[in-house]
Amino acid sequence: MTSIPTKAPGDTAADGQAAGRIWRFGDNVDTDAMAPATQMKGGIDQIARHCLARLRPEFPATVRPGDLVVGGWHFGVGSSREQAPQALRHLGVAAVIAPSFAGLFYRNALNLGLPALVCTHTDGLVDGARATLDLDGAAIVLADGSRVPCEPIPPFLLDMLRAGGLIPHLKRRLAQERA
């Protein structure tokens, strides 16, 4: 299992495993649901307090570090705002899993250190169930030990995720080149 290093509050559980509750959402969840336009003048703390509240009012207050968001088709449609995956990461969401993502959301998530896994068969990922992210194995492991396979993330993107996103990854590479 892979833990994702981060500076966001609680991206992974204390034992280094990305494990938590599954939060299910439907198709076409847009970036405005994650980062409402009405909150964009505030900082990420303010935006995160409203993340997905339009769809599930309890989400921002009850999501916990290590939890997994499972979306439907076209997760992250809408604007290109980086604050959408940033708010999820800020809340400690370990990964977003969906059959398909809007391209900009997908890349923004990875750039910000939030794993986004394409997983076409998410029926077994039941709302409220406990699960563990196995990023190296490209799967979600359920409490009964069964595995829900996802498309593997290419190694160069896994390296970027392990660094905490694009900027920390580039800083690390530059430091290595200077050494």
Side-chain angles (χ1 to χ4, degrees), residues 63-81:
V63 66
R64 296 291 174 252
D67 285 358
L68 304 169
V69 168
V70 177
W73 293 93
H74 313 295
F75 192 88
V77 298
S79 74
S80 62
R81 59 182 75 146

Side-chain angles (χ1 to χ4, degrees), residues 27-139:
D27 295 340
N28 302 308
V29 173
D30 62 36
T31 54
D32 195 54
M34 291 175 260
T38 58
Q39 305 304 317
M40 293 302 287
K41 288 187 179 182
I44 194 61
D45 289 332
Q46 175 70 20
I47 295 166
R49 281 195 294 272
H50 299 275
C51 182
L52 294 168
R54 184 181 81 211
L55 303 175
R56 302 225 11 213
E58 76 281 12
F59 180 80
T62 57
V63 66
R64 296 291 174 252
D67 285 358
L68 304 169
V69 168
V70 177
W73 293 93
H74 313 295
F75 192 88
V77 298
S79 74
S80 62
R81 59 182 75 146
E82 287 182 330
Q83 293 89 343
Q86 186 180 24
L88 291 169
R89 188 165 185 254
H90 186 78
L91 291 170
V93 170
V96 180
I97 300 102
S100 69
F101 291 93
L104 287 171
F105 176 87
Y106 181 80
R107 192 56 203 221
N108 282 339
L110 296 177
N111 284 348
L112 292 167
L114 176 66
L117 291 120
V118 176
C119 183
T120 54
H121 302 291
T122 62
D123 294 341
L125 302 176
V126 178
D127 189 62
R130 304 281 306 165
T132 302
L133 170 65
D134 178 2
L135 199 55
D136 290 327

